[in-house]
Amino acid sequence: MNINIIAVGKLKEKYLKEAVSEYSKRLSKYCRMDIIEVADEKAPENMSRAEEAAVKGREGQAILKHVKSDTYVIALAIDGKLLSSEVFADFINDLGIKGRSNIAFIIGGSLGLSDEVLKRADFKLSFSPMTFPHQLMRVILLEQIYRGYRINMGEPYHK
């Protein structure tokens, strides 16, 4: 399976880079994983809704440039579907069984994802109704993908 994580912004913190590197290394046993970073747009504090939409729109265009037509797109969104780790593992496994071997997880910037990206998404996934920093979300997502593969392979780790 080919998995791309398309994320807005670069990781700056050393500890997050190390965690992403560790989970990427662990996942290399199970799938081909690429992380694609797109530039985050400047977002001043007191923007109008139109300015926010414009920023998300520019980030969304950058994201969609990396999405191929045969890719199954999973957008991370607060209003997406909540899944347990076991159900998430089944979901990923089922995609492979159905021949969906190219998957892209999309992590938006601080303002979220544009309407265009959300419309392109085949599935919207939520990890919590809480808001997380998008840089930390990368680590959480990688850990859950790794956990899912371990669950599907019947390997210890999950508990």
Side-chain angles (χ1 to χ4, degrees), residues 65-132:
K65 286 180 185 175
H66 297 282
V67 176
K68 298 177 181 143
S69 62
D70 67 337
T71 300
Y72 188 89
V73 175
I74 301 170
L76 275 59
I78 288 176
D79 65 341
K81 187 168 173 96
L82 290 165
L83 303 177
S84 68
S85 294
E86 296 85 358
V87 172
F88 180 69
D90 286 342
F91 180 73
I92 296 300
N93 192 52
D94 288 346
L95 287 174
I97 290 169
K98 293 175 182 172
R100 304 305 300 246
S101 60
N102 294 312
I103 300 171
F105 289 91
I106 311 293
I107 302 173
S110 59
L111 298 174
L113 293 168
S114 70
D115 289 341
E116 293 79 18
V117 172
L118 293 171
K119 286 177 189 162
R120 172 57 182 89
D122 297 292
F123 188 81
K124 291 194 305 183
L125 175 65
S126 176
F127 280 81
S128 169
M130 294 178 164
T131 301
F132 295 103

Side-chain angles (χ1 to χ4, degrees), residues 12-154:
K12 297 174 183 84
E13 296 83 358
K14 182 180 177 187
Y15 67 96
L16 292 174
K17 288 180 181 180
E18 289 172 352
V20 166
S21 177
E22 177 63 26
Y23 281 112
S24 295
K25 184 175 94 179
R26 291 181 186 190
L27 278 163
S28 68
K29 176 179 173 182
Y30 304 103
C31 64
R32 184 171 173 267
M33 170 75 63
D34 287 312
I35 298 175
I36 300 161
E37 295 177 330
V38 301
D40 52 345
E41 296 286 324
K42 299 288 181 225
E45 285 295 318
N46 297 316
M47 289 190 294
S48 68
R49 288 184 191 254
E51 289 169 321
E52 281 188 18
V55 167
K56 289 195 298 188
R58 289 190 297 273
E59 289 175 348
Q61 288 172 355
I63 289 167
L64 291 173
K65 286 180 185 175
H66 297 282
V67 176
K68 298 177 181 143
S69 62
D70 67 337
T71 300
Y72 188 89
V73 175
I74 301 170
L76 275 59
I78 288 176
D79 65 341
K81 187 168 173 96
L82 290 165
L83 303 177
S84 68
S85 294
E86 296 85 358
V87 172
F88 180 69
D90 286 342
F91 180 73
I92 296 300
N93 192 52
D94 288 346
L95 287 174
I97 290 169
K98 293 175 182 172
R100 304 305 300 246
S101 60
N102 294 312
I103 300 171
F105 289 91
I106 311 293
I107 302 173
S110 59
L111 298 174
L113 293 168
S114 70
D115 289 341
E116 293 79 18
V117 172
L118 293 171
K119 286 177 189 162
R120 172 57 182 89
D122 297 292
F123 188 81
K124 291 194 305 183
L125 175 65
S126 176
F127 280 81
S128 169
M130 294 178 164
T131 301
F132 295 103
H134 56 280
Q135 297 90 342
L136 180 60
M137 200 62 233
R138 244 186 258 193
V139 177
I140 295 169
L141 173 61
L142 285 167
E143 192 281 334
Q144 284 299 300
I145 295 169
Y146 176 68
R147 181 179 297 273
Y149 275 106
R150 299 288 294 203
I151 290 168
N152 288 335
M153 300 301 255

